[in-house]
Amino acid sequence: MLSEEPRRRRWWVHPIVSQRLQKGQFHTLYFDLRHNPEKFQGYCRMSVATFDILLAPLRSGLTFQDTTMRRSISPEERLLLTLRFLATGNSFASLHYEYLLGISTISGIVCHTCQLIWQRLREAVMPTPTADDWLRIADGFYQSSQFPNCIGALDGKHIRVKKPPHSGSQYFNFKQYFSIVLLALVDSNYRFIIVDIGAYGSTADARIFCSSRMGERLRANQLALPEPRRLPGSSASAAPFVIVADEGFALSPHVMRAFPRRDLDDRKRIFNYRLSRACRYVECAFGILSNKWRVFMSSLQMSPQNATLVIQACVILHNFTRIHDVPSEPEVAPFPTTSVGLDHNPQGRPGSAGLAVRELFADYFISPEGALSWQLNSIRGTRR
Protein backbone atom coordinates (compact mmCIF):
# COMPACT_ATOMS: atom_id res chain seq x y z
CA MET A 1 0.00 0.00 0.00
CA LEU A 2 1.46 3.32 -1.05
CA SER A 3 1.95 5.79 1.75
CA GLU A 4 0.17 9.07 1.30
CA GLU A 5 2.20 12.22 1.12
CA PRO A 6 1.62 14.61 4.04
CA ARG A 7 -0.81 17.36 3.25
CA ARG A 8 0.93 20.61 2.45
CA ARG A 9 -0.22 23.68 4.30
CA ARG A 10 -1.68 26.42 2.15
CA TRP A 11 -0.38 29.11 4.51
CA TRP A 12 2.04 29.23 7.40
CA VAL A 13 -0.33 31.79 8.96
CA HIS A 14 -3.75 32.45 7.45
CA PRO A 15 -3.95 35.95 5.93
CA ILE A 16 -6.84 36.87 8.22
CA VAL A 17 -5.02 35.66 11.34
CA SER A 18 -1.89 37.54 10.28
CA GLN A 19 -3.79 40.79 10.87
CA ARG A 20 -4.27 40.06 14.57
CA LEU A 21 -2.05 42.90 15.76
CA GLN A 22 -4.02 45.42 13.69
CA LYS A 23 -7.58 44.05 13.77
CA GLY A 24 -7.79 41.51 16.61
CA GLN A 25 -10.33 42.32 19.30
CA PHE A 26 -7.72 42.54 22.06
CA HIS A 27 -5.60 45.08 20.19
CA THR A 28 -8.56 47.21 19.08
CA LEU A 29 -10.67 47.08 22.24
CA TYR A 30 -8.62 46.29 25.37
CA PHE A 31 -7.23 49.76 26.09
CA ASP A 32 -10.56 51.44 25.32
CA LEU A 33 -12.28 49.07 27.75
CA ARG A 34 -9.82 49.98 30.50
CA HIS A 35 -10.89 53.62 30.15
CA ASN A 36 -14.57 52.63 30.44
CA PRO A 37 -14.91 50.66 33.71
CA GLU A 38 -18.59 49.76 33.23
CA LYS A 39 -17.92 48.29 29.79
CA PHE A 40 -14.87 46.43 31.13
CA GLN A 41 -17.01 44.95 33.92
CA GLY A 42 -19.57 43.76 31.40
CA TYR A 43 -16.93 42.36 29.07
CA CYS A 44 -15.05 40.13 31.50
CA ARG A 45 -17.24 40.14 34.64
CA MET A 46 -14.80 41.97 36.89
CA SER A 47 -13.48 45.47 37.44
CA VAL A 48 -10.24 46.80 35.98
CA ALA A 49 -8.60 46.79 39.40
CA THR A 50 -9.65 43.20 40.05
CA PHE A 51 -8.35 42.15 36.63
CA ASP A 52 -4.95 43.63 37.47
CA ILE A 53 -4.91 41.91 40.88
CA LEU A 54 -5.81 38.61 39.21
CA LEU A 55 -3.13 38.98 36.55
CA ALA A 56 -0.28 39.61 39.00
CA PRO A 57 0.12 36.03 40.35
CA LEU A 58 -0.59 34.55 36.90
CA ARG A 59 1.75 36.70 34.84
CA SER A 60 4.86 34.52 35.07
CA GLY A 61 2.89 31.43 34.04
CA LEU A 62 1.30 33.26 31.10
CA THR A 63 4.53 34.78 29.77
CA PHE A 64 6.25 32.98 26.90
CA GLN A 65 9.40 33.79 24.95
CA ASP A 66 9.33 35.59 21.64
CA THR A 67 10.97 33.74 18.74
CA THR A 68 12.37 34.75 15.38
CA MET A 69 9.22 33.28 13.79
CA ARG A 70 6.58 35.17 15.76
CA ARG A 71 5.84 37.26 18.84
CA SER A 72 4.33 35.48 21.81
CA ILE A 73 0.79 36.24 22.96
CA SER A 74 0.85 38.61 25.94
CA PRO A 75 -0.37 37.56 29.41
CA GLU A 76 -3.08 40.26 29.24
CA GLU A 77 -4.48 38.85 26.00
CA ARG A 78 -4.38 35.27 27.29
CA LEU A 79 -6.25 36.18 30.46
CA LEU A 80 -8.78 38.43 28.71
CA LEU A 81 -9.51 35.74 26.12
CA THR A 82 -10.09 33.15 28.86
CA LEU A 83 -12.35 35.45 30.86
CA ARG A 84 -14.35 36.29 27.74
CA PHE A 85 -14.87 32.59 27.04
CA LEU A 86 -15.99 31.93 30.62
CA ALA A 87 -18.21 35.03 30.70
CA THR A 88 -20.04 34.26 27.45
CA GLY A 89 -19.59 30.59 26.59
CA ASN A 90 -18.83 31.58 23.00
CA SER A 91 -17.38 28.72 20.97
CA PHE A 92 -13.67 28.62 20.17
CA ALA A 93 -14.62 29.05 16.52
CA SER A 94 -16.44 32.29 17.36
CA LEU A 95 -13.51 33.58 19.41
CA HIS A 96 -11.24 32.70 16.48
CA TYR A 97 -12.94 35.36 14.35
CA GLU A 98 -12.94 37.90 17.19
CA TYR A 99 -9.35 37.55 18.42
CA LEU A 100 -7.85 36.32 15.11
CA LEU A 101 -6.14 33.40 16.79
CA GLY A 102 -6.20 29.78 15.66
CA ILE A 103 -8.92 27.59 17.15
CA SER A 104 -6.41 25.11 18.57
CA THR A 105 -4.39 28.03 19.95
CA ILE A 106 -7.46 29.38 21.73
CA SER A 107 -8.27 25.95 23.14
CA GLY A 108 -4.73 25.60 24.49
CA ILE A 109 -4.76 29.11 26.00
CA VAL A 110 -8.10 28.61 27.75
CA CYS A 111 -7.20 25.22 29.25
CA HIS A 112 -3.73 26.36 30.35
CA THR A 113 -5.04 29.58 31.91
CA CYS A 114 -7.85 27.78 33.73
CA GLN A 115 -5.39 25.28 35.15
CA LEU A 116 -3.07 28.10 36.24
CA ILE A 117 -5.92 29.96 37.97
CA TRP A 118 -6.75 26.84 39.99
CA GLN A 119 -3.15 26.06 40.90
CA ARG A 120 -2.03 29.56 41.88
CA LEU A 121 -5.15 31.02 43.52
CA ARG A 122 -6.78 28.06 45.25
CA GLU A 123 -4.89 28.47 48.51
CA ALA A 124 -5.53 32.22 48.54
CA VAL A 125 -9.30 32.26 47.89
CA MET A 126 -10.36 28.75 48.98
CA PRO A 127 -7.92 27.66 51.70
CA THR A 128 -8.35 24.56 53.82
CA PRO A 129 -10.55 25.70 56.76
CA THR A 130 -9.15 25.75 60.28
CA ALA A 131 -11.14 25.51 63.51
CA ASP A 132 -11.30 29.32 63.67
CA ASP A 133 -12.59 29.44 60.08
CA TRP A 134 -15.37 26.96 60.90
CA LEU A 135 -16.39 29.09 63.89
CA ARG A 136 -16.51 32.21 61.70
CA ILE A 137 -18.62 30.38 59.11
CA ALA A 138 -20.97 29.11 61.83
CA ASP A 139 -21.40 32.65 63.20
CA GLY A 140 -22.24 33.85 59.68
CA PHE A 141 -24.96 31.24 59.24
CA TYR A 142 -26.45 32.05 62.63
CA GLN A 143 -26.58 35.77 61.83
CA SER A 144 -28.06 35.32 58.35
CA SER A 145 -30.31 32.25 58.63
CA GLN A 146 -30.64 31.71 62.40
CA PHE A 147 -29.31 28.15 62.13
CA PRO A 148 -26.68 27.68 64.86
CA ASN A 149 -23.58 25.47 64.64
CA CYS A 150 -23.87 25.31 60.84
CA ILE A 151 -20.54 25.11 59.01
CA GLY A 152 -21.86 25.05 55.45
CA ALA A 153 -24.63 24.21 52.99
CA LEU A 154 -23.97 21.19 50.77
CA ASP A 155 -25.38 20.30 47.35
CA GLY A 156 -24.41 19.15 43.88
CA LYS A 157 -24.86 20.90 40.53
CA HIS A 158 -24.92 19.07 37.19
CA ILE A 159 -22.73 20.80 34.59
CA ARG A 160 -23.91 19.91 31.10
CA VAL A 161 -21.19 18.46 28.85
CA LYS A 162 -20.92 16.92 25.40
CA LYS A 163 -21.24 13.13 25.54
CA PRO A 164 -17.71 11.72 25.77
CA PRO A 165 -17.01 9.00 23.19
CA HIS A 166 -17.41 5.39 24.32
CA SER A 167 -18.77 6.48 27.72
CA GLY A 168 -22.11 4.68 27.54
CA SER A 169 -24.49 6.03 30.18
CA GLN A 170 -21.86 6.98 32.78
CA TYR A 171 -22.42 10.72 32.29
CA PHE A 172 -26.20 10.52 31.67
CA ASN A 173 -28.06 11.93 34.67
CA PHE A 174 -31.61 11.68 35.96
CA LYS A 175 -32.43 15.01 34.26
CA GLN A 176 -31.91 13.29 30.91
CA TYR A 177 -28.70 14.94 29.75
CA PHE A 178 -24.95 14.30 30.00
CA SER A 179 -23.11 16.02 32.82
CA ILE A 180 -20.35 16.04 35.36
CA VAL A 181 -21.06 17.05 38.95
CA LEU A 182 -19.86 20.03 40.95
CA LEU A 183 -20.33 19.09 44.62
CA ALA A 184 -19.86 22.14 46.84
CA LEU A 185 -19.91 23.25 50.44
CA VAL A 186 -20.84 26.95 50.66
CA ASP A 187 -20.78 29.56 53.43
CA SER A 188 -23.33 32.28 54.18
CA ASN A 189 -21.46 34.75 51.92
CA TYR A 190 -22.09 32.45 48.92
CA ARG A 191 -18.42 31.50 48.77
CA PHE A 192 -17.23 27.99 48.08
CA ILE A 193 -15.44 26.37 51.02
CA ILE A 194 -14.72 22.89 49.63
CA VAL A 195 -15.55 21.45 46.20
CA ASP A 196 -15.40 18.09 44.50
CA ILE A 197 -15.49 18.27 40.69
CA GLY A 198 -15.72 15.72 37.91
CA ALA A 199 -17.92 12.86 39.14
CA TYR A 200 -20.12 11.08 36.60
CA GLY A 201 -23.53 12.65 36.09
CA SER A 202 -25.20 9.27 36.68
CA THR A 203 -23.88 9.12 40.26
CA ALA A 204 -26.13 10.28 43.11
CA ASP A 205 -24.98 13.28 45.18
CA ALA A 206 -24.84 11.20 48.36
CA ARG A 207 -22.58 8.61 46.77
CA ILE A 208 -20.29 11.33 45.39
CA PHE A 209 -20.08 12.89 48.85
CA CYS A 210 -19.30 9.56 50.51
CA SER A 211 -16.46 8.82 48.11
CA SER A 212 -15.09 12.38 47.99
CA ARG A 213 -12.09 13.50 50.00
CA MET A 214 -14.39 15.87 51.90
CA GLY A 215 -16.69 13.04 52.95
CA GLU A 216 -13.83 10.74 53.87
CA ARG A 217 -12.17 13.41 56.01
CA LEU A 218 -15.48 14.22 57.71
CA ARG A 219 -16.04 10.57 58.64
CA ALA A 220 -12.43 10.30 59.87
CA ASN A 221 -12.81 13.48 61.94
CA GLN A 222 -9.98 15.18 59.99
CA LEU A 223 -11.72 18.44 59.01
CA ALA A 224 -10.46 20.30 62.12
CA LEU A 225 -14.04 20.89 63.29
CA PRO A 226 -14.42 22.72 66.62
CA GLU A 227 -15.59 20.83 69.68
CA PRO A 228 -19.38 20.63 70.14
CA ARG A 229 -20.93 23.61 71.89
CA ARG A 230 -24.32 24.43 73.32
CA LEU A 231 -26.83 26.12 71.08
CA PRO A 232 -27.32 29.85 71.84
CA GLY A 233 -29.26 30.38 75.06
CA SER A 234 -29.80 26.66 75.56
CA SER A 235 -28.95 24.64 78.66
CA ALA A 236 -29.29 21.30 76.85
CA SER A 237 -26.42 19.09 75.76
CA ALA A 238 -23.74 20.48 73.50
CA ALA A 239 -24.50 20.09 69.78
CA PRO A 240 -21.90 19.18 67.14
CA PHE A 241 -21.17 21.46 64.21
CA VAL A 242 -23.18 20.32 61.22
CA ILE A 243 -23.53 20.63 57.46
CA VAL A 244 -27.04 21.26 56.12
CA ALA A 245 -28.13 19.37 53.02
CA ASP A 246 -31.23 18.31 51.11
CA GLU A 247 -32.96 14.93 51.03
CA GLY A 248 -30.42 13.49 48.61
CA PHE A 249 -27.83 13.10 51.39
CA ALA A 250 -27.65 10.66 54.28
CA LEU A 251 -28.30 11.82 57.84
CA SER A 252 -25.30 11.63 60.16
CA PRO A 253 -24.07 13.42 63.30
CA HIS A 254 -22.43 16.09 61.10
CA VAL A 255 -24.90 16.18 58.17
CA MET A 256 -28.46 17.35 58.77
CA ARG A 257 -31.29 16.65 56.33
CA ALA A 258 -35.04 17.26 56.55
CA PHE A 259 -37.55 14.98 58.23
CA PRO A 260 -39.40 12.72 55.76
CA ARG A 261 -42.55 14.38 54.42
CA ARG A 262 -45.02 11.89 55.78
CA ASP A 263 -46.69 12.42 59.17
CA LEU A 264 -45.15 15.82 59.81
CA ASP A 265 -46.21 17.71 62.94
CA ASP A 266 -45.46 21.39 63.59
CA ARG A 267 -42.18 20.58 65.33
CA LYS A 268 -40.84 18.66 62.34
CA ARG A 269 -42.17 21.23 59.87
CA ILE A 270 -40.38 23.98 61.78
CA PHE A 271 -37.12 22.04 61.64
CA ASN A 272 -37.52 21.51 57.89
CA TYR A 273 -38.29 25.20 57.43
CA ARG A 274 -35.23 26.29 59.39
CA LEU A 275 -33.06 23.80 57.55
CA SER A 276 -34.25 25.03 54.15
CA ARG A 277 -33.43 28.63 55.15
CA ALA A 278 -29.81 27.56 55.60
CA CYS A 279 -29.72 25.25 52.56
CA ARG A 280 -30.73 28.04 50.20
CA TYR A 281 -27.23 29.53 50.29
CA VAL A 282 -25.73 26.76 48.20
CA GLU A 283 -28.53 27.04 45.62
CA CYS A 284 -28.03 30.80 45.45
CA ALA A 285 -24.26 30.34 45.08
CA PHE A 286 -24.83 28.04 42.09
CA GLY A 287 -27.19 30.63 40.61
CA ILE A 288 -24.68 33.46 41.05
CA LEU A 289 -21.94 31.28 39.54
CA SER A 290 -23.97 30.45 36.43
CA ASN A 291 -25.27 33.99 35.97
CA LYS A 292 -21.79 35.53 36.09
CA TRP A 293 -19.90 32.83 34.17
CA ARG A 294 -22.34 32.02 31.38
CA VAL A 295 -20.24 29.26 29.95
CA PHE A 296 -22.55 27.11 32.13
CA MET A 297 -25.65 28.25 30.26
CA SER A 298 -24.98 25.70 27.52
CA SER A 299 -23.22 22.39 27.10
CA LEU A 300 -19.44 22.44 27.43
CA GLN A 301 -18.10 21.29 24.06
CA MET A 302 -14.92 19.71 25.41
CA SER A 303 -13.64 16.59 27.10
CA PRO A 304 -14.57 15.95 30.76
CA GLN A 305 -10.94 16.61 31.71
CA ASN A 306 -10.96 20.08 30.12
CA ALA A 307 -14.48 20.75 31.43
CA THR A 308 -13.16 20.05 34.92
CA LEU A 309 -10.45 22.69 34.40
CA VAL A 310 -13.11 25.22 33.34
CA ILE A 311 -15.28 24.47 36.39
CA GLN A 312 -12.29 24.72 38.72
CA ALA A 313 -11.36 28.11 37.29
CA CYS A 314 -14.92 29.44 37.59
CA VAL A 315 -15.14 28.34 41.22
CA ILE A 316 -11.91 30.19 42.01
CA LEU A 317 -12.98 33.27 40.04
CA HIS A 318 -16.35 33.23 41.83
CA ASN A 319 -14.64 33.46 45.22
CA PHE A 320 -12.02 35.90 43.89
CA THR A 321 -14.55 38.40 42.58
CA ARG A 322 -16.68 38.14 45.72
CA ILE A 323 -13.60 39.12 47.73
CA HIS A 324 -12.39 41.95 45.50
CA ASP A 325 -15.57 43.21 43.77
CA VAL A 326 -18.70 44.47 45.49
CA PRO A 327 -21.70 42.67 43.88
CA SER A 328 -23.40 45.09 41.51
CA GLU A 329 -26.69 43.22 41.24
CA PRO A 330 -29.12 42.27 44.03
CA GLU A 331 -28.67 38.67 45.09
CA VAL A 332 -32.26 37.93 45.95
CA ALA A 333 -33.48 34.46 45.05
CA PRO A 334 -36.93 32.99 45.57
CA PHE A 335 -37.29 30.94 48.72
CA PRO A 336 -36.58 27.32 47.82
CA THR A 337 -39.25 24.70 47.94
CA THR A 338 -38.62 21.30 49.39
CA SER A 339 -36.69 19.03 47.05
CA VAL A 340 -38.79 16.61 45.03
CA GLY A 341 -35.87 14.38 44.05
CA LEU A 342 -35.61 10.77 45.01
CA ASP A 343 -33.99 9.95 48.31
CA HIS A 344 -30.73 8.22 47.38
CA ASN A 345 -29.10 6.97 50.55
CA PRO A 346 -26.24 4.54 49.97
CA GLN A 347 -25.67 4.18 53.72
CA GLY A 348 -29.13 2.75 54.40
CA ARG A 349 -31.09 3.92 57.41
CA PRO A 350 -29.61 6.79 59.43
CA GLY A 351 -27.79 5.87 62.60
CA SER A 352 -29.05 6.70 66.07
CA ALA A 353 -26.37 9.38 66.53
CA GLY A 354 -27.58 11.36 63.52
CA LEU A 355 -31.21 11.02 64.60
CA ALA A 356 -30.34 12.24 68.10
CA VAL A 357 -28.59 15.35 66.76
CA ARG A 358 -31.56 16.18 64.51
CA GLU A 359 -33.94 15.78 67.46
CA LEU A 360 -31.74 18.12 69.51
CA PHE A 361 -31.99 20.83 66.85
CA ALA A 362 -35.73 20.24 66.38
CA ASP A 363 -36.34 20.70 70.11
CA TYR A 364 -34.24 23.85 70.14
CA PHE A 365 -36.13 25.45 67.25
CA ILE A 366 -39.43 25.29 69.16
CA SER A 367 -37.94 26.39 72.49
CA PRO A 368 -38.19 30.01 73.68
CA GLU A 369 -34.44 30.40 73.12
CA GLY A 370 -34.41 29.17 69.53
CA ALA A 371 -37.84 29.95 68.07
CA LEU A 372 -38.43 32.63 65.45
CA SER A 373 -41.48 34.86 65.75
CA TRP A 374 -42.67 34.12 62.20
CA GLN A 375 -41.88 30.42 61.85
CA LEU A 376 -45.35 29.12 62.74
CA ASN A 377 -47.02 31.43 60.23
CA SER A 378 -44.53 30.34 57.58
CA ILE A 379 -45.11 26.61 57.97
CA ARG A 380 -48.88 26.91 58.29
CA GLY A 381 -49.02 29.00 55.17
CA THR A 382 -47.28 26.24 53.16
CA ARG A 383 -48.99 23.20 54.67
CA ARG A 384 -50.58 20.91 52.12
Side-chain angles (χ1 to χ4, degrees):
M1 181 177 179
L2 297 177
S3 59
E4 296 182 0
E5 293 184 3
R7 180 182 175 185
R8 297 183 62 182
R9 299 179 61 167
R10 295 179 63 188
W11 298 287
W12 175 250
V13 178
H14 194 282
I16 293 179
V17 176
S18 66
Q19 302 179 68
R20 178 174 67 88
L21 299 180
Q22 294 78 35
K23 298 182 179 180
Q25 195 168 101
F26 174 81
H27 297 278
T28 59
L29 197 59
Y30 174 67
F31 294 102
D32 289 336
L33 286 173
R34 290 187 67 91
H35 289 94
N36 293 272
E38 291 184 2
K39 296 295 184 182
F40 192 97
Q41 177 86 36
Y43 189 86
C44 61
R45 299 295 192 266
M46 62 181 63
S47 66
V48 177
T50 301
F51 178 87
D52 292 338
I53 295 171
L54 175 64
L55 180 60
L58 304 178
R59 181 178 291 278
S60 61
L62 297 177
T63 302
F64 293 84
Q65 187 175 2
D66 292 337
T67 68
T68 56
M69 302 298 293
R70 58 167 66 91
R71 290 173 55 184
S72 63
I73 301 169
S74 68
E76 289 83 358
E77 185 170 2
R78 289 173 177 270
L79 181 57
L80 194 74
L81 169 64
T82 301
L83 294 177
R84 187 58 179 168
F85 168 72
L86 299 178
T88 63
N90 287 351
S91 67
F92 294 154
S94 176
L95 293 171
H96 159 69
Y97 292 106
E98 295 173 8
Y99 282 80
L100 302 184
L101 290 166
I103 295 175
S104 60
T105 302
I106 291 173
S107 175
I109 288 174
V110 168
C111 292
H112 174 255
T113 306
C114 286
Q115 185 177 33
L116 201 66
I117 288 171
W118 174 260
Q119 292 174 346
R120 298 204 173 181
L121 295 176
R122 179 178 55 179
E123 290 300 322
V125 303
M126 199 172 62
T128 301
T130 64
D132 290 339
D133 293 329
W134 291 125
L135 288 172
R136 175 184 52 79
I137 292 168
D139 291 342
F141 269 102
Y142 185 62
Q143 293 295 325
S144 60
S145 65
Q146 294 76 52
F147 199 108
N149 287 22
C150 176
I151 57 170
L154 177 69
D155 203 2
K157 176 178 176 60
H158 287 271
I159 307 297
R160 191 185 295 263
V161 297
K162 179 180 69 174
K163 181 185 182 299
H166 314 298
S167 62
S169 60
Q170 285 180 322
Y171 293 89
F172 196 69
N173 63 35
F174 70 96
K175 299 181 179 181
Q176 307 299 304
Y177 60 82
F178 296 93
S179 67
I180 58 178
V181 179
L182 163 61
L183 184 75
L185 186 68
V186 173
D187 67 14
S188 60
N189 292 317
Y190 309 105
R191 296 179 191 168
F192 295 105
I193 307 169
I194 304 174
V195 296
D196 182 270
I197 303 169
Y200 297 137
S202 61
T203 309
D205 288 348
R207 194 172 299 277
I208 296 171
F209 177 66
C210 288
S211 60
S212 68
R213 187 163 179 263
M214 172 173 44
E216 292 174 351
R217 293 182 65 194
L218 181 64
R219 291 194 300 275
N221 197 26
Q222 295 177 350
L223 281 182
L225 297 183
E227 291 297 319
R229 68 180 181 184
R230 289 181 177 176
L231 302 178
S234 173
S235 58
S237 302
F241 287 83
V242 298
I243 293 168
V244 295
D246 63 20
E247 296 166 326
F249 293 87
L251 181 69
S252 73
H254 291 291
V255 179
M256 290 290 100
R257 52 169 283 177
F259 284 102
R261 295 176 219 170
R262 58 185 179 277
D263 302 325
L264 289 177
D265 55 19
D266 281 352
R267 173 176 168 274
K268 293 180 179 180
R269 287 180 179 275
I270 288 172
F271 174 85
N272 289 359
Y273 168 72
R274 299 286 290 272
L275 184 84
S276 66
R277 280 172 53 82
C279 283
R280 76 184 190 268
Y281 285 93
V282 65
E283 297 292 347
C284 290
F286 288 149
I288 296 168
L289 177 76
S290 298
N291 191 53
K292 180 180 282 287
W293 307 109
R294 300 200 172 193
V295 68
F296 298 128
M297 294 293 187
S298 58
S299 176
L300 297 179
Q301 300 298 306
M302 55 184 64
S303 68
Q305 293 74 24
N306 288 342
T308 298
L309 295 178
V310 167
I311 299 168
Q312 288 175 338
C314 287
V315 165
I316 295 301
L317 291 172
H318 171 92
N319 281 11
F320 188 85
T321 54
R322 293 199 66 79
I323 293 170
H324 294 283
D325 279 342
V326 177
S328 58
E329 69 280 348
E331 296 171 344
V332 179
F335 192 81
T337 58
T338 305
S339 171
V340 296
L342 296 177
D343 183 7
H344 300 289
N345 185 352
Q347 296 180 338
R349 291 182 176 274
S352 59
L355 292 171
V357 173
R358 185 166 66 181
E359 294 294 329
L360 179 62
F361 277 95
D363 289 337
Y364 175 75
F365 290 148
I366 61 171
S367 69
E369 297 81 13
L372 300 177
S373 59
W374 66 86
Q375 63 188 23
L376 273 176
N377 291 334
S378 296
I379 64 165
R380 288 171 179 170
T382 59
R383 179 177 295 178
R384 296 176 183 175

